Amino acid sequence: MVLRITERAQRALDELHPKHREQVMRRIRQLAAAQRPPLTKIRHDRGELLSYRAGEYRIYLTWDEQTLQIEDIRKRNDAYR
């Protein structure tokens, strides 16, 4: 499985408090290792986007058999606006 992180997601990770950054990175590693993780489909103007919970944060991603691409990371309160 190839893990890709977009520039937008990387900027979001860099802005997080170290404790939250580690929490999100732990969840990303779990995602990469999982066969069928519990992902939530959400509507998005760029097609099918998936969401994964990481405590107070949401990880937005695209997933196929070979690639896991992290599109964005947002705080839960801001994610649904």
Side-chain angles (χ1 to χ4, degrees):
M1 167 97 31
V2 177
L3 174 64
R4 294 185 182 148
I5 299 178
T6 63
E7 287 182 37
R8 176 184 233 168
Q10 187 62 53
R11 278 193 312 267
L13 268 174
D14 293 342
E15 292 173 2
L16 292 178
H17 185 277
K19 174 185 170 186
H20 296 292
R21 184 180 315 122
E22 181 54 38
Q23 177 185 26
V24 169
M25 287 305 299
R26 187 172 45 248
R27 296 297 281 187
I28 290 173
R29 287 190 293 272
Q30 288 174 353
L31 266 173
Q35 293 292 327
R36 290 285 178 195
L39 300 172
T40 303
K41 290 182 184 180
I42 61 171
R43 283 194 238 171
H44 194 269
D45 59 350
R46 290 182 285 169
E48 183 177 300
L49 197 59
L50 302 168
S51 174
Y52 189 62
R53 294 171 63 175
E56 294 179 24
Y57 293 87
R58 297 298 177 261
I59 303 169
Y60 294 103
L61 58 113
T62 56
W63 170 286
D64 63 28
E65 298 302 320
Q66 296 87 17
T67 307
L68 171 64
Q69 181 162 317
I70 308 301
E71 300 287 341
D72 199 3
I73 298 164
R74 294 187 187 172
K75 192 160 183 166
R76 189 181 140 263
N77 297 344
D78 300 332
Y80 300 112
R81 291 183 183 175

